């Protein structure tokens, strides 16, 4: 990865509802084992989680660049960085179909998914997806693999949890453009977003501000449940939905510490709010919109 890679466009990831405080691990033991949900509900950071489980750093087996693209590189590009499990391959396909730049994905194999015939079946599913995207000649899809530990031999239950940070780190390391955007696999960029970011003047401004001013851009995540109404495709439409609460800031009701401070009011007051080209992406899983925060 070039040393000039300095920009992270992405989602604010995790912050817990409660601080660690004073508590005894014995409160979270059931049948002689630590209860994962009980412990996680009391913790703020990954370091706290690791300490609570008395766990050390896990060294996963990783296959970087298991599948890489032969599509020519572009002069100006932004890499979409994502991670997910095998049951999310349809979402990865949707991302690749909607993105005209590079896409670096780290895919998690659970222990049973790499055993016997399962391994070849799952690898072929990845290869088939990659062939489809390559034939279209647009998105430069790069897929890396990360294999779970065997739960029977893992020292701690913590070591068997979904390693979201390890997966993201693999996908980031396999990104070779100056600009990257970290995004969950359930989100799909809207039409024209890559073109907007890579327009010459905009792109040069982003690179300059990232490298010289050390700017990092965050994304506001808005959630719309599919049982309510059709997905709004413009910022103006999203603003109208926010007024009647059919659209809400994603997961604020679950984790206000992580998703509350997005300054959605400031975003709505911006002059750009009526510009439909500013709608950045949609989450197919929870029908969320992801919009730029200025």
């Amino acid at each position: 990865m070039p040393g000039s890679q300095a920009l992270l466009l992405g989602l604010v990831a995790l912050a817990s509802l409660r601080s660690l405080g004073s508590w005894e691990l014995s409160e979270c033991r059931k049948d002689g084992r630590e209860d994962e949900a009980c412990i996680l509900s009391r913790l703020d950071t990954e370091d706290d989680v690791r300490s609570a489980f008395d766990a050390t750093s896990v060294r996963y087996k990783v296959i970087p660049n298991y599948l890489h693209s032969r599509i020519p590189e572009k002069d100006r590009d932004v890499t979409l960085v994502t991670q997910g499990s095998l049951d999310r391959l349809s979402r990865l396909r949707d991302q690749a179909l909607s993105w005209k730049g590079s896409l670096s994905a780290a895919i998690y194999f659970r222990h049973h998914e790499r055993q016997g015939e399962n391994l070849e079946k799952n690898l072929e599913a990845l290869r088939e997806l990659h062939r489809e995207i390559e034939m279209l000649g647009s998105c430069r899809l790069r897929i890396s693999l990360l294999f779970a530990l065997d739960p029977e031999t893992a020292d701690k239950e913590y070591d068997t949890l979904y390693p979201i940070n390890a997966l993201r780190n693999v996908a980031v390391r396999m990104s070779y453009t100056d600009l990257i955007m970290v995004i969950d696999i359930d989100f799909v960029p809207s039409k024209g977003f890559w073109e907007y970011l890579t327009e010459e003047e905009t792109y040069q401004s982003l690179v300059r501000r990232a490298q010289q001013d050390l700017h990092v851009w965050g994304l506001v995540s808005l959630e719309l449940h599919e049982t309510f109404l059709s997905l709004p495709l413009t910022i103006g439409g999203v603003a109208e939905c926010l007024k009647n609460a059919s659209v809400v800031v994603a997961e604020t009701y679950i984790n206000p510490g992580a998703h509350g401070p997005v300054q959605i009011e400031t975003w709505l007051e911006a002059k750009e709010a009526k510009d439909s080209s500013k709608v950045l992406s949609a989450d197919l899983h929870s029908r969320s919109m992801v919009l730029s925060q200025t």
Side-chain angles (χ1 to χ4, degrees):
M1 184 190 310
S4 61
Q5 185 178 60
L7 173 65
L8 173 65
L9 290 169
L11 299 173
V12 177
L14 297 175
S16 74
L17 293 171
R18 285 165 282 188
S19 61
L20 180 57
S22 59
W23 61 285
E24 295 182 2
L25 190 60
S26 59
E27 298 176 5
C28 289
R29 287 189 179 275
K30 292 183 180 180
D31 300 324
R33 294 174 59 87
E34 298 96 341
D35 180 65
E36 172 190 321
C38 176
I39 292 176
L40 294 179
S41 68
R42 289 162 165 78
L43 305 177
D44 266 339
T45 68
E46 184 174 337
D47 288 339
D48 289 335
V49 176
R50 193 185 306 280
S51 175
F53 281 96
D54 191 27
T56 58
S57 297
V58 179
R59 297 185 65 86
Y60 299 97
K61 179 180 178 181
V62 175
I63 303 180
N65 291 337
Y66 172 70
L67 296 169
H68 62 277
S69 178
R70 298 183 182 277
I71 298 173
E73 296 182 6
K74 299 175 174 64
D75 292 335
R76 298 187 298 274
D77 197 4
V78 177
T79 298
L80 202 64
V81 172
T82 195
Q83 48 71 36
S85 49
L86 287 167
D87 60 320
R88 286 291 192 268
L89 291 189
S90 63
R91 304 294 169 80
L92 178 60
R93 178 180 182 272
D94 290 332
Q95 280 191 343
L97 291 176
S98 62
W99 191 250
K100 294 187 178 180
S102 297
L103 196 167
S104 175
I107 301 299
Y108 183 60
F109 275 63
R110 296 178 176 86
H111 181 66
H112 71 274
E113 292 170 336
R114 56 179 293 198
Q115 302 303 307
E117 296 180 355
N118 286 341
L119 177 60
E120 181 53 36
K121 179 187 69 174
N122 291 322
L123 290 177
E124 178 55 30
L126 285 173
R127 292 192 292 262
E128 182 178 351
L129 168 61
H130 192 267
R131 283 194 296 267
E132 176 187 358
I133 301 304
E134 282 287 289
M135 288 180 62
L136 294 175
S138 179
C139 176
R140 301 184 70 252
L141 177 60
R142 183 188 308 271
I143 298 178
S144 301
L145 312 180
L146 186 148
F147 296 107
L149 301 184
D150 183 349
E152 297 297 325
T153 60
D155 292 334
K156 297 289 180 180
E157 185 178 0
Y158 172 86
D159 297 342
T160 65
L161 303 181
Y162 181 81
I164 186 169
N165 288 332
L167 286 160
R168 281 176 176 155
N169 289 341
V170 169
V172 168
R173 286 196 295 270
M174 295 303 107
S175 304
Y176 301 108
T177 56
D178 288 339
L179 305 181
I180 65 174
M181 181 176 73
V182 178
I183 192 169
D184 286 347
I185 202 167
D186 288 328
F187 286 83
V188 176
S190 63
K191 182 178 180 180
F193 184 32
W194 181 86
E195 291 86 343
Y196 167 75
L197 292 175
T198 56
E199 186 275 327
E200 184 173 4
E201 183 176 348
T202 300
Y203 182 82
Q204 297 302 334
S205 174
L206 290 172
V207 173
R208 176 183 53 78
R209 292 170 66 184
Q211 295 177 351
Q212 297 180 14
D213 302 328
L214 303 182
H215 284 184
V216 174
W217 283 263
L219 301 180
V220 177
S221 179
L222 302 177
E223 181 177 335
L224 168 65
H225 291 281
E226 58 185 342
T227 53
F228 290 145
L229 55 135
S230 60
L231 191 69
L233 299 179
T234 68
I235 285 183
V238 172
E240 288 300 314
C241 291
L242 280 166
K243 292 179 181 178
N244 59 30
S246 55
V247 165
V248 297
V249 176
E251 298 191 359
T252 305
Y253 45 88
I254 298 175
N255 196 342
H259 299 278
V262 295
Q263 301 179 351
I264 188 65
E265 294 82 6
T266 301
W267 171 78
L268 287 173
E269 292 171 359
K271 293 181 179 179
E272 292 83 3
K274 298 184 182 300
D275 185 350
S276 62
S277 69
K278 300 295 185 183
V279 173
L280 302 189
S281 63
D283 178 350
L284 296 184
H285 181 58
S286 62
R287 298 303 294 271
S288 302
M289 302 300 292
V290 178
L291 307 160
S292 64
Q293 178 183 359
T294 56

